[in-house]
Amino acid sequence: MRRIGPAAAAEGPPVKASTADPVEQEREAAVARLDLHYTSMLRLAALLGADDPENIVAEAYYQIYRKWRKLRDAESAEAYLRSTVCNLTRMRIRHLQVARRHAAAPAAANSVASAENSALLKDDQRVLVDALQALPARQREALVLRHWLGLKESEIAAAMGISAGSVKTHTARGLAALTQAMEARR
């Protein structure tokens, strides 16, 4: 699969300046402004457990670009992008689970982190990330959206497609499991 960045996804077909559609120009400018969130979306996908966060984020940018005319509120583009990253990551993880279940030979259990990730994460952070990865997907998503992105319960509920009460439940259970994992390490 060819990798593209957010700027490449936003380029689209060339448009003449004199005959350009105003909606098209607005879409181009808005998606270009979303480039500011590329790094945070990449981290979000990685923290949610994506095996290839760059492709997930590139697909999210492509989807928001493609569906721009259907977007009800241009101000909510960042929230839509975040939701799309969460959904694509969830779908990718499900796909990989099904593929692994039906694979003829089991995959190697040892996964190797990239050199960049290994260099950036300290020992405690690695333990925390490992414990985070061991959580059920919904608990992990709720914790990442709440504590890493600092979203409100209503924003998390919208991003995950669940009720605010479920967000509270997933967050509380996830925090309890993380606390237990970190205390067991000491």
Side-chain angles (χ1 to χ4, degrees):
M1 180 174 208
R2 189 175 138 249
R3 294 177 192 232
I4 59 172
E11 287 174 4
V15 179
K16 291 183 181 179
S18 61
T19 62
D21 180 11
V23 175
E24 188 69 26
Q25 288 178 339
E26 188 249 339
R27 172 173 76 167
E28 297 287 333
V31 174
R33 283 191 303 269
L34 286 175
D35 277 353
L36 298 172
H37 304 290
Y38 180 77
T39 303
S40 65
M41 295 301 145
L42 194 62
R43 288 182 184 145
L44 174 62
L47 285 172
L48 292 177
D51 64 329
D52 192 1
E54 294 89 2
N55 277 344
I56 298 281
V57 173
E59 177 68 20
Y61 273 92
Y62 169 71
Q63 284 188 16
I64 199 168
Y65 179 80
R66 189 172 55 99
K67 296 179 181 179
W68 186 260
R69 291 179 191 259
K70 294 179 183 177
L71 194 62
R72 290 184 187 133
D73 180 17
E75 298 301 317
S76 65
E78 180 187 354
Y80 177 77
L81 183 64
R82 189 182 313 106
S83 244
T84 304
V85 168
C86 289
N87 289 336
L88 289 172
T89 302
R90 195 177 309 127
M91 288 175 11
R92 177 70 179 155
I93 290 170
R94 284 185 195 140
H95 170 76
L96 290 174
Q97 288 172 343
V98 170
R100 286 180 185 136
R101 241 182 278 144
H102 292 85
N110 299 338
S111 63
V112 178
S114 71
E116 180 180 313
N117 286 343
S118 297
L120 293 176
L121 296 177
K122 296 178 182 172
D123 189 45
D124 284 345
Q125 290 171 324
R126 272 191 227 117
V127 171
L128 180 61
V129 169
D130 289 344
L132 187 65
Q133 295 298 335
L135 292 177
R138 291 293 189 165
Q139 289 177 13
R140 181 175 57 245
E141 286 179 34
L143 288 175
V144 168
L145 292 171
R146 175 71 179 117
H147 295 286
W148 185 74
L149 288 179
L151 298 181
K152 299 174 188 169
E153 287 174 2
S154 60
E155 294 171 322
I156 297 169
M160 293 176 65
I162 59 177
S163 69
S166 294
V167 170
K168 291 178 186 178
T169 301
H170 291 308
T171 304
R173 289 179 183 170
L175 278 176
L178 284 180
T179 301
Q180 185 178 13
M182 294 304 286
E183 287 178 358
R185 182 177 184 270
R186 292 179 187 197

